[in-house]
Amino acid sequence: MTNPYQSIRKRGHPGAGKRRTGKTPKGRQVNPAALFEVQDLLTGRSRRRDLLIEYLHLIQDRFGCLSATHLAALAQEMHLALAEVYEVATFYAHFDVVKEGESPPPPLTVRVCDSISCELAGAQALLADVARLSEGNVRVIRAPCMGRCDTAPVVEVGHNHMGQANVASVVDAIKEKRIHPELPDYIDYDAYVAKSGYRLLGEYRSGKRSADDIITALEHSALRGLGGAGFPTGRKWKIVRDYPGPRLMAVNADEGEPGTFKDRYYLERNPHQFIEGMLIGAGVVAANACYVYLRDEYPAVRELLIKELAKVDAAGLLGNVRVELRRGAGAYICGEESAMIESIEGKRGLPRNRPPYIAETGLFGRPTLENNVETLYWIPEILERGPEWFTGAGRNGCKGWRSFSVSGRVQEPGVKLAPAGITVRELIDEFCGGMQDGHTLKAYLPGGASGGILPASLADEPLDFGTLEQYGCFIGSAAIVVFSERDNMRDVALNLLRFFEDESCGQCTPCRVGTEKAVKLMSEDKWDIDLLKELSKTMADASICGLGQAAGNPINSVLGYFREDLS
């Protein structure tokens, strides 16, 4: 058969047989000055592909944004396609990508949290007042939950987070240039070691405690994953250990669920108990590297972890385990374990389809143990006190301790260590000093934004894994947000759906389009109930990950328990 292109060339087509001889190379050309600046930032650093997000942070921290010239220079330096670098940079909310011809953002950004606990504390009025500060050198924007719900409303000036903020305190912080985080008081390395810290790690490495002994203790303790999934910890360690090596470990410190702040609480007070639990876990599954993925909203925690991990390394306690601290960039979806794995690898945080599960094929294709911060925090305590200490706590037939992040209409919000199975009424009365003056319990979130909304009539139900599913809700990471009769659940649900709309990664249509459509329908004066029910079911049935699958829970809760708030 005759090649049609040959016939074109034979007929003397104007372009036939000619090679492009233009003097201008194709594609974006690298600016020499920008390349020098990037090379200077990366001096002494590896050009590994998985460090892309870390290097984007370096550039933004130095120059205040990610310019087109710097992105092109970084792509060349790391031997990546510019499109690959650009898609990662534009995926994360904390990166300010400036296209060619655009003006860079002001040198100072002020973020005002508008998630549900801050909303209750007047975030919208505060945002409007602070927005008047917007000038040539200040940018004011809304932001999702910053993990400080017990001190609502929260404002971030630069990288300095301010609780119980008001316009005056924000203005003072700007004028005084208080834009960097302050390290909290915490138990440092010397203080931890003085109280027999790292003794248990030493017992494991010396053979006094075997890996099987530790797994058995965890199984008897009934410790479960406290990031929200609740998978038995001992069983997970055993599963990963049974896969052929080499193995890796990933630590989820990206608690982004609105209402959740327990991981920050423990890291800011006793980081070495967490580090010891992590190193014991790495040893048990024979992981040669640990990747700690910390949300970008915790800059003080990042500083103290860098400082204290260096001390642990200097003391020779890391052994043959390499620990890498990775910095998130403002993406709630990266709290999902497979999306977190993708982000650690330097990619967009898109959840993976499963199987395979990350225990078998995780980081860099290796079997990976993934644990939440709080789960690892309890390891040394359980091994020290025995599994019976942990199982001895509990109410209403439940076992163990739970760290409840409590915020909203209570007198004393904060992290409350309480028995698993406690009811929200008992939690409020015994641990939170009761309801705020003039407020009566109307409803509560048992598990943050995705856990649904329960009415006061169900305030005597045990709070634990598996106890609330019959009501269309779940405990998740135990983020309790308390509402009173002054709060409208229609407005609460709309706030939660707006969060899901903002944080959807966009990979699957049911979640990407469904959350956007839900917000539009819920913003109408009258809800189209049948359409919202259908939309919620579609998201639950067809979304790839838990974000889309749980996004309809607030809608279902309002329709099931709070119809009166729709009128």
Side-chain angles (χ1 to χ4, degrees):
M1 181 176 179
T2 304
N3 187 325
Y5 294 99
Q6 289 180 342
S7 61
I8 290 175
R9 285 196 292 270
K10 289 177 181 178
R11 290 197 299 268
H13 187 275
K18 294 184 179 180
R19 182 174 296 177
R20 180 186 175 94
T21 59
K23 295 182 180 180
T24 303
K26 292 165 50 174
R28 180 182 297 279
Q29 299 310 295
V30 175
N31 180 290
L35 181 61
F36 175 80
E37 290 170 338
V38 168
Q39 289 173 336
D40 183 55
L41 277 177
L42 302 189
T43 299
R45 300 175 185 269
S46 167
R47 273 34 173 194
R48 283 168 25 206
R49 169 67 177 80
D50 60 290
L51 293 171
L52 173 59
I53 294 173
E54 294 296 305
Y55 296 162
L56 291 171
H57 275 302
L58 286 178
I59 295 172
Q60 173 139 319
D61 288 346
R62 172 71 65 86
F63 301 103
C65 63
L66 299 175
S67 67
T69 55
H70 283 133
L71 290 178
L74 181 63
Q76 176 170 306
E77 190 65 17
M78 296 189 71
H79 303 289
L80 295 172
L82 178 57
E84 200 170 357
V85 174
Y86 186 81
E87 72 174 8
V88 172
T90 54
F91 180 84
Y92 296 91
H94 287 186
F95 289 140
D96 290 313
V97 177
V98 179
K99 299 177 182 178
E100 194 163 346
E102 291 183 343
S103 299
L108 179 62
T109 295
V110 175
R111 290 182 167 89
V112 181
C113 177
D114 68 351
S115 287
I116 190 60
S117 297
C118 288
E119 181 93 1
L120 298 179
Q124 291 302 326
L126 179 61
L127 177 60
D129 291 339
V130 174
R132 298 189 183 97
L133 302 173
S134 297
E135 300 172 353
N137 61 343
V138 178
R139 174 180 60 164
V140 180
I141 59 176
R142 56 181 284 270
C145 186
M146 299 180 188
R148 293 165 174 81
C149 314
D150 53 332
T151 61
V154 179
V155 173
E156 182 187 24
V157 179
H159 288 298
N160 176 29
H161 289 85
M162 305 167 55
Q164 297 174 334
N166 54 48
V167 175
S169 63
V170 173
V171 170
D172 288 344
I174 294 173
K175 288 182 177 178
E176 297 170 11
K177 296 184 178 180
R178 287 187 275 113
I179 60 175
H180 300 293
E182 295 182 5
L183 291 185
D185 292 330
Y186 64 91
I187 300 172
D188 65 7
Y189 174 79
D190 292 333
Y192 187 71
V193 171
K195 295 183 178 181
S196 300
Y198 293 107
R199 178 177 59 81
L200 294 164
L201 176 63
E203 289 180 358
Y204 164 70
R205 288 180 174 170
S206 68
K208 187 175 180 179
R209 292 176 185 260
S210 70
D212 289 336
D213 290 340
I214 291 174
I215 288 177
T216 298
L218 295 181
E219 289 177 332
H220 288 167
S221 74
L223 178 66
R224 303 175 69 168
L226 298 174
F231 193 86
T233 303
R235 191 193 309 172
K236 177 183 280 190
W237 287 22
K238 189 174 182 180
I239 289 172
V240 174
R241 191 163 168 257
D242 286 342
Y243 281 113
R247 307 177 195 91
L248 297 171
M249 184 174 184
V251 178
N252 192 338
D254 191 57
E255 56 173 1
E257 183 78 19
T260 308
F261 46 92
K262 61 186 177 62
D263 290 348
R264 177 185 59 80
Y265 175 88
Y266 288 119
L267 288 172
E268 286 185 345
R269 284 158 178 78
N270 193 357
H272 287 282
Q273 184 168 320
F274 151 71
I275 294 171
E276 184 171 16
M278 175 182 70
L279 293 176
I280 290 172
V284 168
V285 302
N288 56 24
C290 294
Y291 294 79
V292 182
Y293 190 85
L294 180 69
R295 68 180 308 200
D296 199 30
E297 289 84 350
Y298 293 170
V301 173
R302 182 171 179 270
E303 287 191 21
L304 73 85
L305 283 178
I306 291 173
K307 181 179 179 181
E308 297 304 315
L309 282 168
K311 294 178 182 177
V312 175
D313 189 19
L317 292 175
L318 293 184
N320 60 357
V321 178
R322 186 180 79 255
V323 177
E324 294 199 21
L325 181 60
R326 293 300 179 87
R327 182 177 170 188
Y332 164 73
I333 191 62
C334 290
E336 196 276 339
E337 61 177 9
S338 66
M340 180 187 70
I341 295 296
E342 290 287 299
S343 190
I344 292 174
E345 292 180 355
K347 307 171 190 173
R348 294 175 294 168
L350 301 179
R352 298 177 178 178
N353 286 305
R354 289 170 285 189
Y357 295 91
I358 68 169
E360 178 184 4
T361 307
L363 265 172
F364 311 113
R366 297 182 181 180
T368 302
L369 173 64
E370 186 274 340
N371 275 137
N372 162 261
V373 165
E374 191 199 353
T375 305
L376 296 171
Y377 181 86
W378 290 120
I379 301 299
E381 197 126 8
I382 289 172
L383 296 180
E384 176 70 26
R385 299 192 183 196
E388 297 78 13
W389 164 77
F390 199 78
T391 57
R395 296 184 186 179
N396 300 308
C398 302
K399 294 181 180 181
W401 294 97
R402 293 289 178 270
S403 299
F404 294 95
S405 304
V406 186
S407 61
R409 307 295 192 183
V410 295
Q411 291 279 13
E412 301 169 8
V415 173
K416 311 296 178 180
L417 183 61
I422 193 173
T423 70
V424 78
R425 198 183 307 278
E426 292 169 337
L427 188 65
I428 293 171
D429 292 342
E430 297 177 29
F431 291 84
C432 302
M435 297 288 292
Q436 291 177 355
D437 294 339
H439 290 265
T440 302
L441 178 65
K442 175 181 179 177
Y444 64 101
L445 303 183
S450 58
I453 314 171
L454 289 175
S457 60
L458 294 175
D460 296 312
E461 293 297 315
L463 296 172
D464 199 14
F465 298 112
T467 63
L468 304 176
E469 279 75 0
Q470 60 183 317
Y471 305 112
C473 296
F474 55 83
I475 189 174
S477 59
I480 311 293
V481 184
V482 178
F483 306 105
S484 76
E485 80 292 343
R486 301 186 187 184
D487 303 314
N488 186 294
M489 294 306 105
R490 169 187 173 137
D491 296 336
V492 169
L494 180 56
N495 177 283
L496 302 179
L497 262 295
R498 281 176 174 151
F499 171 80
F500 291 130
E501 178 189 19
D502 287 344
E503 296 297 332
S504 173
C505 73
Q507 180 179 198
C508 68
T509 303
C511 178
R512 181 185 68 250
V513 177
T515 52
E516 179 183 6
K517 183 66 173 178
V519 168
K520 290 181 179 178
L521 291 171
M522 295 167 72
S523 300
E524 297 290 335
D525 292 336
K526 185 177 180 180
W527 280 16
D528 186 332
I529 293 175
D530 290 338
L531 186 54
L532 279 169
K533 283 182 177 180
E534 183 180 350
L535 189 60
S536 177
K537 188 176 188 307
T538 299
M539 288 191 290
D541 291 345
S543 296
I544 290 175
C545 79
L547 190 156
Q549 292 164 10
N553 286 345
I555 300 172
N556 299 334
S557 295
V558 171
L559 297 179
Y561 301 115
F562 305 101
R563 286 288 185 109
E564 67 278 6
D565 284 1
L566 295 179
S567 58

